[in-house]
Amino acid sequence: MAKPRRGDSLALTIDDLAFGGEGVGRVDGYVVFVRGGVPGDRLRVKLYEARSRFGRAAIEAVEAPSPDRVEAPCPYFGRCGGCRLQHVAYPAQLAFKTKQVRDCLERLGGLGAFELRPILAAPEPYGYRNKMEFTVAEEAGAPVLGLHQADRYDVVLDIERCLLQSDAMNRLLDGLRREVRARALSVYDQGRGQGLLRFVSLREGRRTGETMVNIVASTPDVERLGPVAERLRECLPGTASVVLNVTAKKASVAVGTEEHLLVGRDHIRESLGGLTFQVSANSFFQTNTVQAERLFGVVEQACVLAGGETVLDLYSGTGAISLLLARRCRWVYGIEVAAAAVADAVRNARANGIENCTFLEGEVRHVLPTLVRDGVRAEVVVADPPRAGFHPKALQALAALAPARLVYVSCNPATLARDLGDLVRQGYRLEWVQPVDMFPQTPHIEAVARLSRA
Ligand SMILES: C[S@@+](CC[C@H](N)C(=O)[O-])C[C@H]1O[C@@H](n2cnc3c(N)ncnc32)[C@H](O)[C@@H]1O
């Protein structure tokens, strides 16, 4: 059959999900990506993009639904860029994530003999996020607080209730929207560089019940925003902190260059793994507290610490892994590029009475070789890099250190596969991989891999 053309209507069966969560079907070998397709669906679709090797199509009709197709509970599903898998039954989401990890490791990493452990499902498939960031925008002359429409960065949906956050956070979002409207507060216009409100970020200590509202605005208008903060505290008495972050930069980034405290403290507390963490507006903290605790439990188990070891925590962020492991070993060195995260890690160590951690600021590829040159040796290395994975120089430095055990925490199976492939070629054995579902309803995949020197 000739290659399908743009505008063609096709009948196909979805047989897989792609990395980003789109359904994948085939018509005489021609691959078609279909947003909203579920493996097992028999669909009629219309091709809106036809490249030589693959095309993209929109669903015209679901002729026979997959047994894994479910009704998405969120009214914004399909338009909102936040969740992409609400229409897939949770067990099928878990199977998809497990398969992605296996496919990446086998095909991209050329890795064979390892144990792929059953994915750790989230006990809360909804309402699990302890942090959400919303954009303040103007649509049809009225202020809206919400999330960007999928693939439309110029359109913001007015989200009345987000199912990924708790009821308390939804109350704060709603309370703030009402205040913005009642007080006719202006909305920042990126084109003109005018207007006050830009973003609002909500946080909640899931174990402490403390909530935080971070209003990101273009000017330090404490006079107008102070009373808003007071009203939010009335609307939700658990509100421990309302801060104002100010940024004059045009770029669409919800991080301020100066912070003003409007109500309460400048941070909230969260407990995880028996420790208490102070989390401020711009601190990194794992967004799913319950699953982060399980993820770190897997890391701790993978390290097999007897008490006398030196451990390196590469890409240590605000130090959660370092601080949890410090209780089980002699010393931990954390390496992290973001100065603010290092400061949080130091503060959190102090707050928990932990004295056997050193946090070093800088890129792993620069700091790790220096540490090795200074004579630091480590039996165990934990690494939790960003999506891009290891820099080749960082991987080289790690090989020179040659720890007995290596625990790799990854949020991107493709770079995990690439880096594990390299480590195996350098003499490591991949023992097991444990996927952990940190982000139900989204295609994001987290996994822990344990390696030992062969
Ligand atoms: C996935 S997070 C790790 C979070 C950490 N495990 C925690 O729970 O707080 C990755 C971290 O790597 C840091 N990072 C990114 N590139 C880096 C580099 N080249 N060298 C050191 N740290 C880096 C980021 O700032 C971020 O904090």
Side-chain angles (χ1 to χ4, degrees):
M1 183 191 146
K3 178 179 91 61
R5 290 199 312 215
R6 191 162 166 256
D8 281 357
S9 180
L10 308 166
L12 50 70
T13 300
I14 299 295
D15 49 34
D16 205 354
L17 286 177
F19 203 39
E22 288 172 302
V24 187
R26 283 174 182 77
V27 179
D28 289 332
Y30 183 75
V31 174
V32 182
F33 294 98
V34 184
R35 178 176 292 168
V38 179
D41 273 348
R42 180 84 198 142
L43 303 175
R44 178 145 291 281
V45 301
K46 190 171 188 129
L47 209 61
Y48 62 82
E49 187 182 335
R51 301 211 183 177
S52 57
R53 299 181 57 192
F54 66 88
R56 292 184 197 283
I59 299 177
E60 285 185 308
V62 178
E63 290 181 342
S66 159
D68 292 324
R69 176 175 278 282
V70 293
E71 193 68 43
C74 175
Y76 308 102
F77 178 72
R79 286 180 296 149
C80 176
C83 302
R84 288 181 190 263
L85 295 181
Q86 283 191 11
H87 63 310
V88 180
Y90 190 48
Q93 291 183 26
L94 296 171
F96 152 66
K97 293 185 183 188
T98 308
K99 182 173 177 297
Q100 286 287 334
V101 173
R102 178 183 289 115
D103 285 357
C104 283
L105 295 186
E106 288 179 357
R107 290 188 201 161
L108 302 178
L111 298 153
F114 64 90
E115 179 196 352
L116 181 58
R117 298 189 167 173
I119 188 166
L120 296 180
E124 309 164 295
Y126 285 95
Y128 59 83
R129 284 191 67 100
N130 60 27
K131 181 185 179 193
M132 283 295 296
E133 198 173 283
F134 300 96
T135 301
V136 188
E138 205 167 87
E139 296 289 342
V144 297
L145 269 73
L147 298 167
H148 284 274
Q149 186 167 311
D151 302 336
R152 284 288 305 271
Y153 282 93
D154 54 336
V155 178
V156 175
L157 300 171
D158 198 28
I159 305 281
E160 282 187 18
R161 188 164 163 253
C162 172
L163 297 184
L164 293 193
Q165 66 179 8
S166 68
D167 287 345
M169 288 163 79
N170 277 314
R171 271 170 64 189
L172 286 173
L173 180 65
D174 194 48
L176 184 59
R177 185 189 343 262
R178 275 188 277 117
E179 289 302 310
V180 170
R181 289 186 180 158
R183 292 166 197 267
L185 297 176
S186 65
V187 173
Y188 183 75
D189 178 313
Q190 208 174 0
R192 287 183 293 132
Q194 284 171 2
L196 181 63
L197 299 172
R198 303 191 63 171
F199 304 96
V200 56
S201 159
L202 306 177
R203 289 190 113 137
E204 181 180 36
R206 300 306 294 268
R207 300 276 171 63
T208 58
E210 294 181 357
T211 48
M212 166 186 269
V213 181
N214 173 23
I215 300 170
V216 182
S218 59
T219 55
D221 198 339
V222 175
E223 208 171 304
R224 269 194 294 174
L225 293 172
V228 172
E230 293 294 347
R231 290 284 296 151
L232 289 175
R233 179 118 97 171
E234 282 162 31
C235 139
L236 189 81
T239 308
S241 164
V242 183
V243 294
L244 164 63
N245 266 264
V246 179
T247 176
K249 289 184 188 153
K250 276 207 164 182
S252 202
V253 183
V255 178
T257 44
E258 60 179 80
E259 184 170 297
H260 299 262
L261 182 61
L262 298 178
V263 156
R265 303 187 234 107
D266 67 350
H267 64 272
I268 55 168
R269 289 170 297 205
E270 176 66 306
S271 40
L272 197 158
L275 300 177
T276 301
F277 292 86
Q278 293 186 16
V279 184
S280 40
N282 295 317
S283 300
F284 171 85
F285 194 76
Q286 295 281 347
T287 46
N288 182 339
T289 304
V290 173
Q291 287 299 81
E293 191 163 67
R294 296 177 81 193
L295 177 81
F296 295 155
V298 173
V299 170
E300 194 170 319
Q301 182 206 0
C303 289
V304 201
L305 298 171
E309 297 87 351
T310 298
V311 177
L312 295 193
D313 178 15
L314 308 180
Y315 310 92
S316 50
T318 41
I321 294 177
S322 301
L323 301 180
L324 291 165
L325 296 181
R327 302 173 297 182
R328 313 253 178 270
C329 66
R330 190 190 66 80
W331 206 270
V332 184
Y333 291 91
I335 303 179
E336 163 61 42
V337 75
V342 171
D344 281 336
V346 170
R347 190 178 59 165
N348 281 321
R350 210 172 292 134
N352 285 285
I354 294 172
E355 292 177 345
N356 57 339
C357 285
T358 306
F359 292 101
L360 301 161
E361 186 189 323
E363 286 198 52
V364 169
R365 67 185 162 127
H366 297 136
V367 178
L368 184 55
T370 317
L371 213 55
V372 175
R373 262 198 306 277
D374 289 349
V376 171
R377 295 289 171 265
E379 294 85 351
V380 180
V381 171
V382 178
D384 184 6
R387 287 184 63 75
F390 268 79
H391 187 280
K393 290 223 163 79
L395 213 56
Q396 233 174 46
L398 181 60
L401 180 74
R405 287 188 292 291
L406 198 49
V407 182
Y408 192 133
V409 184
S410 162
C411 57
N412 181 350
T415 52
L416 173 71
R418 181 199 67 200
D419 292 345
L420 293 186
D422 275 354
L423 288 163
V424 166
R425 280 188 288 281
Q426 287 171 18
Y428 279 90
R429 188 164 71 83
L430 174 60
E431 294 178 322
W432 52 259
V433 178
Q434 171 71 75
V436 180
D437 192 22
M438 306 282 286
F439 308 105
Q441 320 310 331
T442 80
H444 295 294
I445 302 173
E446 193 89 11
V448 180
R450 182 184 135 113
L451 301 100
S452 59
R453 259 206 103 65

